[in-house]
């Protein structure tokens, strides 16, 4: 019988958690046994038809999957080239793709008998996803969030609290996602026996990058089927934004064996690579180079001395100094290509999509829209671009109104 | 030098019927000169060895005190190169005890594994402690340290299985860093009640010297290390004293060292 989540679809990672030269487990000894335990429990759960059935049932009846694919007719006509389709993860319960992984890991925690959950969050969507899954399953949820991010994603802070999560402000370092992960790991090291670390992106020590990818692969697997039904063929290009890289790896996974589909990841260009204020790990060869952050070897924005650099993006969810190791591998093997969109371009794309399609994208997802808008006019009319619209923009309304000066 | 110097340190402490005392201090806190003064003051106070901290922007095994101190060091421009220069300067000022470089992996990878081990050795260091480098990922460091006769310390924690204890015991050189509790660095009023059982479990599986760290701050706690383990580390308590100057650090180190004397 077919399982909901197919494991072993690719030959990466290897048993040590490596995607080529990227990945691995660079963590304090205290966590090594916990990671072994997690990897074993995950493998068992994936082989268990009951577990997979329960996840599939909840994804259908709770998350609202499958999320639709929408043809962006007016936008496509306006651009006059390729037809643009949107995979609507913004319509998943909680308003973003993060719930796919949060639900999977929360079910795994429950199966492992761990009732205390810690999570980190940047934009707040993973925090909300975790709080949601924990409320539904009756688990205790603690979310670490940088105080800078708490200020710019207030609505998500309220949502987490309303669902009973304990939101812990992080005041160390840059007070954003990187520091929230540091604190979540410190909590996990301290309470490792009772606690499950529900990591929200396709990064961290093995098995997290693999596990998060698998739970998010539903995006690409659904989208592939939906494109065949809607358009009668696969897209020519599939585009997603890349912070840590969970929505993009989930989209890419569905198409990785389809050589005709070009896979494009869009990083946060912030104020532009030359400004130094960005989160474009692949686009700035002076600062983005292989290194280790948060337990995994990948591309890391760092200074000449190996200190992790401050990043900037208007979107909290892309504001991170490293990138999931599988993206570094997909780039190295040239299976996927990576580009960037600046703050200004992303904000413009928010406005464009809102006014042509009646869909307000999250600032993160708007980065992917930027690339589609750039490419579509250069492509033939019978070609297709698929954009993963990873989340909705409600959480960003304050920022969007301020930046686009819509209040004036 | 290197592994031999560390062995000598444990032999001397053992001959005196006590545990060896290895303070941790980061280079660059409260500033570069101040950190060297503090380490020299501890050397004169008769400590047995040092864990010399290399500041990192994201020290995820450290508690608030060391996080704050290393952040200050970075803001004042501390680099890996400057840390090694500090070790060289300390050797020139007569600091004779074994020195272990303690740093997170990314700055060391950025420096280059072989280059770092070679330069650390040349500066006068005797070994490395890398808290986010488990033996599984350490092939390059193992080879580089072996070539330079530098010790490469691995960790064991209360969560380590019997199998891991054996495997880490086989690979660690110099000593094994025993994390006393599940958590991050920082003073605790009490050490875990099952510490003796934990250490006994380790001793049954490995004959490497055990050096206990995390949570130790008082003379009483220091004295309780005698007969339990071969050595121990105090970090946060000394770093906190560092705010009051090198003399304060030296005085606290002297107090902790004196607590180990058995013949009264």
């Amino acid at each position: 019988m077919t399982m909901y989540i197919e494991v072993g679809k690719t030959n990466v990672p290897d048993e040590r958690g490596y995607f080529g030269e990227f990945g691995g487990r660079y963590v304090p000894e205290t966590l090594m046994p916990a990671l072994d335990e997690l990897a074993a429990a995950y493998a068992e759960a994936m082989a268990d038809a009951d577990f997979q059935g329960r996840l599939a049932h909840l994804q259908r009846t709770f998350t609202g999957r499958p999320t639709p694919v929408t043809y962006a007719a007016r936008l496509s006509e306006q651009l006059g080239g390729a037809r643009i389709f949107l995979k609507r993860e913004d319509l998943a319960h909680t308003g973003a793709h993060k719930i796919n992984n949060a639900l999977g890991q929360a079910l795994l925690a429950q199966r492992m008998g761990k009732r205390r959950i810690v999570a980190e969050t940047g934009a707040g969507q993973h925090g909300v996803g975790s709080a949601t899954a924990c409320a539904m399953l009756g688990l205790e949820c603690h979310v670490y969030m940088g105080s800078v991010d708490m200020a710019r994603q207030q609505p998500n802070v309220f949502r987490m609290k309303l669902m009973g999560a304990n939101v812990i402000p992080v005041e160390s370092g840059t007070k954003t996602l990187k520091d929230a992960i540091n604190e979540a790991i410190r909590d996990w090291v301290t309470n490792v026996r009772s606690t499950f670390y529900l990591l929200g992106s396709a990064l961290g020590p093995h098995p997290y990058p693999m596990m998060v990818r698998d739970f998010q692969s539903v995006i690409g697997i659904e989208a592939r089927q939906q494109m065949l039904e809607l358009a009668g063929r696969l897209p020519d290009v599939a585009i997603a934004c890349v912070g840590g890289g969970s929505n993009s790896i989930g989209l890419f996974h569905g198409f990785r064996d389809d050589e005709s589909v070009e896979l494009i990841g869009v990083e946060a260009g912030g104020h532009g690579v030359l400004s130094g204020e960005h989160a474009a790990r692949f686009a700035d060869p002076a600062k983005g180079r292989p290194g280790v952050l948060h337990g995994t070897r990948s591309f890391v924005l760092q200074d000449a001395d190996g200190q992790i650099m401050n990043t900037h993006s208007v979107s909290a969810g892309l504001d991170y100094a490293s990138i999931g190791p599988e993206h570094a591998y997909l780039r190295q093997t040239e299976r996927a290509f990576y580009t960037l969109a600046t703050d200004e371009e992303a904000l413009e794309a928010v406005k464009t999509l809102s006014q042509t399609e009646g869909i307000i994208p999250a600032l993160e997802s708007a980065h992917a829209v930027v690339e589609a808008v750039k490419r579509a006019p250069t492509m033939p009319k019978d070609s297709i671009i698929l954009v993963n619209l990873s989340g909705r923009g409600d959480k960003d309304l304050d920022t969007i109104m301020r930046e686009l000066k819509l209040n004036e | 030098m290197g592994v031999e110097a560390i062995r000598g340190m444990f032999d001397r402490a053992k001959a005196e019927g006590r545990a060896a005392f290895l303070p941790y201090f980061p280079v660059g806190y409260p500033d570069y000169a101040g950190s060297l003064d503090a380490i020299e003051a501890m050397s004169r106070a008769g400590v047995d060895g040092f864990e010399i901290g290399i500041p990192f922007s994201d020290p995820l095994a450290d508690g608030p005190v060391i996080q704050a101190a290393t952040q200050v060091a970075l803001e004042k421009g501390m680099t890996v190169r400057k840390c090694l220069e500090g070790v060289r300067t300390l050797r020139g000022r007569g600091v004779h005890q074994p020195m272990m470089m303690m740093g997170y992996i990314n700055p060391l990878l950025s420096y280059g594994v072989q280059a770092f081990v070679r330069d650390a050795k040349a500066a006068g260091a005797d070994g490395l402690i890398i808290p986010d480098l488990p033996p599984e990922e350490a092939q390059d460091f193992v080879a580089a340290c072996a070539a330079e006769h530098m010790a490469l310390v691995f960790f064991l924690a209360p969560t380590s299985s019997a199998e891991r204890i054996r495997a880490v015991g086989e690979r660690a050189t110099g000593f094994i860093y025993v994390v006393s509790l599940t958590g991050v660095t920082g003073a605790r009023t009490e050490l875990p009640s099952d510490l003796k059982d934990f250490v006994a479990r380790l001793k049954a599986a490995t004959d490497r010297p055990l050096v206990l760290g995390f949570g130790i701050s008082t003379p009483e706690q220091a004295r309780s290390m005698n007969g339990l383990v071969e050595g121990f580390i105090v970090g946060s308590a000394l770093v906190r004293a560092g705010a009051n100057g090198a003399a304060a650090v030296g005085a606290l180190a002297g107090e902790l060292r004196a607590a180990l004397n058995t013949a009264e």
Side-chain angles (χ1 to χ4, degrees), chain A residues 110 115 132-140:
Chain A
Q110 193 181 47
R115 306 200 56 79
T132 302
C134 288
M136 193 260 292
L137 296 172
L139 301 170
E140 179 189 328

Side-chain angles (χ1 to χ4, degrees), chain B residues 120-166:
Chain B
K121 166 95 172 187
D126 300 282
L128 307 187
I129 301 175
I130 308 172
D132 51 354
L133 183 70
E136 284 87 339
E137 307 288 0
Q139 301 87 330
D140 293 354
F141 279 98
V142 167
C145 287
E148 298 283 350
H149 298 286
M150 290 272 275
L152 181 59
V153 167
F154 290 116
F155 288 70
L156 284 170
T159 51
S160 304
S161 64
E163 198 182 320
R164 282 195 73 81
I165 294 171
R166 261 192 309 278

Side-chain angles (χ1 to χ4, degrees), chain A residues 80-122:
Chain A
R83 289 192 292 159
I84 297 172
F85 288 78
L86 308 171
K87 174 62 173 167
R88 302 291 306 280
E89 291 301 296
D90 60 317
L91 293 178
H93 179 41
T94 72
H97 73 289
K98 291 289 186 187
I99 187 71
N100 300 329
N101 167 60
L103 190 59
Q105 285 195 42
L107 282 173
L108 184 60
Q110 193 181 47
R111 182 187 164 97
M112 292 171 74
K114 307 231 177 194
R115 306 200 56 79
R116 182 177 182 276
I117 306 295
V118 294
E120 82 296 335
T121 197

Side-chain angles (χ1 to χ4, degrees), chain B residues 14 22 36 47 51 56 59-60 69 75 120-121 174 185 189 200-201 234 236 241 252 254 256 259 263:
Chain B
K14 192 178 178 189
L22 294 92
L36 299 193
V47 306
E51 197 187 345
F56 179 50
L60 52 76
E75 281 161 11
K121 166 95 172 187
T185 60
T189 43
R201 200 153 61 82
V234 176
S236 296
L252 177 55
L256 291 163

Side-chain angles (χ1 to χ4, degrees), chain B residues 220-233:
Chain B
E220 293 69 36
Q221 288 169 335
R223 192 177 299 120
S224 73
M225 295 297 122
N226 281 347
L228 179 70
V229 283
E230 281 69 35
F232 65 97
I233 292 166

